[in-house]
């Protein structure tokens, strides 16, 4: 894969990469940083890509690793009052659906976003997250159940 092909593939995957980063990181600036670092890392490790057909899966795995690395490195302490102020402001900016996705446990949130937002297959998600297909299916099922409960009365779901 040459420089032009790499650039074209990254541009095609850019929106999806943002969604994946946003599923892990909360801050838009952190998402942009993680994406940039993942792209730079991917370009420098381009020789490790075995098949060009798996580029999206490969770059997604690099991005996920970068996001988790950022979380490990970022141990910032925010006063409780400031945190609560930011939470109420941020909740007004996002839809109920986005907030419900953010409430999913991380091990359910990432497969959910990869499958339902980005359209990855169960096998691809398994390769990206290094999980068995059955584990991916279980996590998707549990995420759907949580979302169904959380969104009762919203988006056409009826309350019991």
């Amino acid at each position: 894969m040459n420089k032009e092909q790499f650039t074209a593939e990254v541009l095609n995957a850019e929106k999806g990469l943002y969604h994946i980063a946003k599923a892990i990181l909360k801050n838009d600036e952190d998402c942009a940083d993680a994406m940039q670092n993942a792209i730079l890392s991917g370009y420098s490790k381009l020789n490790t890509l075995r098949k060009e057909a798996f580029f999206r899966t490969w770059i997604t795995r690099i991005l996920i690793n970068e996001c988790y690395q950022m979380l490990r490195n970022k141990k910032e302490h925010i006063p409780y009052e400031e945190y609560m102020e930011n939470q109420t402001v941020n909740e007004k900016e996002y839809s109920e659906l986005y907030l419900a996705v953010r409430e999913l446990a991380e091990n359910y949130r990432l497969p959910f976003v990869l499958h339902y937002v980005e359209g990855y297959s169960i096998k691809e998600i398994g390769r990206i997250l290094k999980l068995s297909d059955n584990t991916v299916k279980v996590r998707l099922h549990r995420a759907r159940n949580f979302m169904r409960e959380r969104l009762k009365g919203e988006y056409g779901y009826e309350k019991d």
Side-chain angles (χ1 to χ4, degrees), residues 19-27 94 96-106 109 146-147:
H19 289 139
I20 293 162
K22 191 68 174 174
I24 300 170
L25 305 169
K26 293 181 181 179
N27 188 324
Y94 295 111
E96 188 71 23
L97 181 60
Y98 174 78
L99 293 174
V101 170
R102 291 298 308 169
E103 289 177 17
L104 279 168
E106 189 171 328
R109 184 173 57 234
F146 173 83
M147 294 296 285

Side-chain angles (χ1 to χ4, degrees), residues 1-142:
M1 178 177 279
N2 63 30
K3 181 180 177 180
E4 289 78 24
Q5 290 173 315
F6 180 83
T7 304
E9 289 291 335
V10 165
L11 290 174
N12 287 339
E14 185 176 24
K15 187 176 180 182
L17 292 174
Y18 173 78
H19 289 139
I20 293 162
K22 191 68 174 174
I24 300 170
L25 305 169
K26 293 181 181 179
N27 188 324
D28 287 334
E29 290 82 16
D30 289 343
C31 293
D33 288 345
M35 286 176 56
Q36 183 177 20
N37 292 342
I39 291 167
L40 290 172
S41 178
Y43 187 74
S44 68
K45 297 176 184 177
L46 198 53
N47 61 334
T48 65
L49 176 61
R50 293 184 189 133
K51 293 184 183 179
E52 290 181 20
F54 296 122
F55 177 81
R56 278 189 64 197
T57 303
W58 176 77
I59 197 73
T60 299
R61 184 71 239 170
I62 293 171
L63 175 66
I64 290 169
N65 289 339
E66 184 62 38
C67 290
Y68 287 137
Q69 184 64 40
M70 287 181 73
L71 287 176
R72 282 190 297 270
N73 291 340
K74 190 174 185 178
K75 302 284 185 184
E76 82 180 74
H77 298 284
I78 300 173
Y80 179 75
E81 295 80 15
E82 184 179 327
Y83 173 78
M84 291 311 289
E85 269 181 30
N86 289 340
Q87 286 301 102
T88 55
V89 170
N90 288 339
E91 287 179 9
K92 294 175 186 172
E93 295 175 14
Y94 295 111
S95 71
E96 188 71 23
L97 181 60
Y98 174 78
L99 293 174
V101 170
R102 291 298 308 169
E103 289 177 17
L104 279 168
E106 189 171 328
N107 60 333
Y108 301 135
R109 184 173 57 234
L110 195 51
F112 185 84
V113 170
L114 287 169
H115 188 69
Y116 292 107
V117 177
E118 293 308 313
Y120 282 95
S121 70
I122 290 172
K123 286 193 180 303
E124 289 174 318
I125 295 169
R127 269 197 311 265
I128 291 169
L129 300 178
K130 299 177 183 170
L131 300 170
S132 72
D133 291 351
N134 285 335
T135 301
V136 173
K137 289 176 187 177
V138 167
R139 290 184 181 184
L140 288 172
H141 177 73
R142 290 179 181 168

